[in-house]
Amino acid sequence: MHKLKPITPLGSDTPRVDTIGNLTVSEVTDRALASVAARKDQEPALREALAEAYKMELPEVGGSSQASTLSAFWTGPDQWMVSGPYDQHELLARDLKQVAVATASVVEQTDGWCRFDIAGAALGDLFERLSNAPVRDMKPGCVIRGTLEHLGVFLWRLDEDRMAVLGPRSSAASLHHALITAARSIA
């Protein structure tokens, strides 16, 4: 019998946390993810179904929203990423499919992405070395799809001094290296 054991995107048993100067880079592994794409002419019905089931409002372009333990951010026209604590929403995609029925296509995304949360007063200094996204101007709740180094990512401003970066899980080590190298350059 196989004795499989889950590992983080960086290949460890536990999420990695690095503190460099006044910045902390944390690997986030406790979130379930599902993409939701409204089917043709079904966006109003999808919004209504999610509002009824979860009290969730789907955000507009460049935004995010929170409803109880779930959060959502805009990823493209009529498309969103929905996230929730893994221990409460292990079957998030299945649950969203049951609510959305024929109004949307829902796809499990949890193991396709890695997430790093960066906290500290020097967020602007860090991200101006990594991306041309206007991080200093982003308000909490704003989301930008762009690049960080050479990787396609989502930059999600969680708070004034906190940012989430979501990128492809297969590039987790490269993304982490870029974040740590830039943090060291300003420490």
Side-chain angles (χ1 to χ4, degrees), residues 1-155:
M1 176 186 292
H2 296 289
K3 293 188 178 186
L4 301 176
K5 184 169 103 174
I7 59 172
T8 71
L10 290 176
S12 180
D13 294 342
T14 57
R16 184 164 173 175
V17 177
D18 296 282
T19 300
I20 300 164
N22 72 354
L23 290 168
T24 301
V25 178
S26 305
E27 183 181 21
V28 177
T29 61
D30 63 348
R31 306 294 293 179
L33 288 172
S35 62
V36 178
R39 294 185 179 159
K40 186 176 180 184
D41 300 325
Q42 293 297 310
E43 182 187 354
L46 172 63
R47 287 181 179 277
E48 187 177 315
L50 292 176
E52 185 177 318
Y54 296 109
K55 310 284 187 271
M56 175 183 287
E57 217 176 282
L58 290 173
E60 298 299 327
V61 176
S64 66
S65 63
Q66 182 79 32
S68 185
T69 61
L70 295 178
S71 55
F73 63 88
W74 184 88
T75 59
D78 297 337
Q79 299 174 43
W80 301 268
M81 188 76 77
V82 179
S83 176
Y86 190 80
D87 62 349
Q88 296 173 39
H89 298 284
E90 181 178 355
L91 301 174
L92 178 62
R94 183 205 67 186
D95 296 343
L96 289 169
K97 281 181 190 180
Q98 289 175 349
V99 169
V101 191
T103 64
S105 296
V106 180
V107 179
E108 170 65 43
Q109 297 288 330
T110 303
D111 288 329
W113 296 85
C114 64
R115 175 176 164 176
F116 295 97
D117 284 5
I118 300 89
L123 275 182
D125 296 337
L126 176 76
F127 282 98
E128 71 185 7
R129 287 164 170 74
L130 295 168
S131 177
N132 65 354
V135 171
R136 290 186 192 275
D137 297 332
M138 290 174 69
K139 303 286 183 229
C142 289
V143 178
I144 292 178
R145 185 176 200 159
T147 59
L148 191 144
E149 289 278 299
H150 62 283
L151 300 168
V153 297
F154 288 102
L155 301 173

